[in-house]
Amino acid sequence: MRTINRNRNRNVVLGAAATAALALALTACGGEDSGTKAADPANGATPAAASRPADAAKAGDSVANTGSAQAVSAGKGTAKEGTAKASGGNTDTDSYAYTHPCKSQKLSVHVTSRAGAPTQRVIEVRNLGASACGLSYFPRVSLGNSHSADHSKDVRPLVPSGLGGAPAYPVRAGKTAYAVIDVNPCGATTGTVAGIDEMNVLADDAHMPNAETHNFPLGSGAKVLKPKLGLYRSTIADAVSSMTQADTQS
């Protein structure tokens, strides 16, 4: 009987040990299986441990994309504001014109006869650009013969003296500057300069080369004597008034 009891106890102990060993083995396998699934997405599993970085990355991407969108949106807004300012705001001012001389490519220059004053011509310089620009106080004008190769003896008009003040004459976008010249202010019929049939106009003598001079016909038989040229003005009437004050050789 004692021997049987011993064997039973031994079997119990062995059974318990075997059960414990089996449990440990199963636990270990379970851990290996879980680890294998986490490391091998091909198994079709989406382990929580593996999903966290992905979720974090997605969240991070979302934040980054939102930030990028905001940055792009802000950038576009800034660009639009800058464009708006450039097209109609702070580049179309007198102060801007003082530091930005007009370019001939963005100007139109025309000469017309003044109604009721046959010896006077109106020089019109229009700013075709989107920003203000600056001109010299008056255009450079000479009167000569269109068929002559030598223009050294062309007639230059008188201009007003005592100039000063702003560094340039500002012309806003889309606006026109006027200058008036009287080729024969005394209305002389004799003693006039012979052979004059052309007027040469350079809109800005201070910043433009001679090659940008425009030539306008005066017509044959034009009588030219001691011409007078006024300063650029915003109206023809003011340009005429300025012309009458011309007293210095240009």
Side-chain angles (χ1 to χ4, degrees), residues 119 184-189:
T119 63
N184 185 3
C186 297
T189 55

Side-chain angles (χ1 to χ4, degrees), residues 8-9 29 52 80 82 146 152 165 171 199 207 232 236 244 246:
R8 286 179 178 174
N9 292 336
C29 291
R52 286 172 190 166
K80 289 179 180 179
S146 59
S152 62
V171 188
M199 178 187 297
H207 300 97
Y232 279 124
I236 295 176
T244 62

Side-chain angles (χ1 to χ4, degrees), residues 176-217:
T176 301
Y178 299 96
V180 171
I181 183 172
D182 194 329
V183 299
N184 185 3
C186 297
T189 55
T190 60
T192 57
V193 183
I196 302 294
D197 65 354
E198 182 179 64
M199 178 187 297
N200 309 301
V201 179
L202 183 62
D204 188 338
D205 187 23
H207 300 97
M208 296 179 182
N210 292 335
E212 295 177 354
T213 298
H214 296 265
N215 311 111
F216 301 94

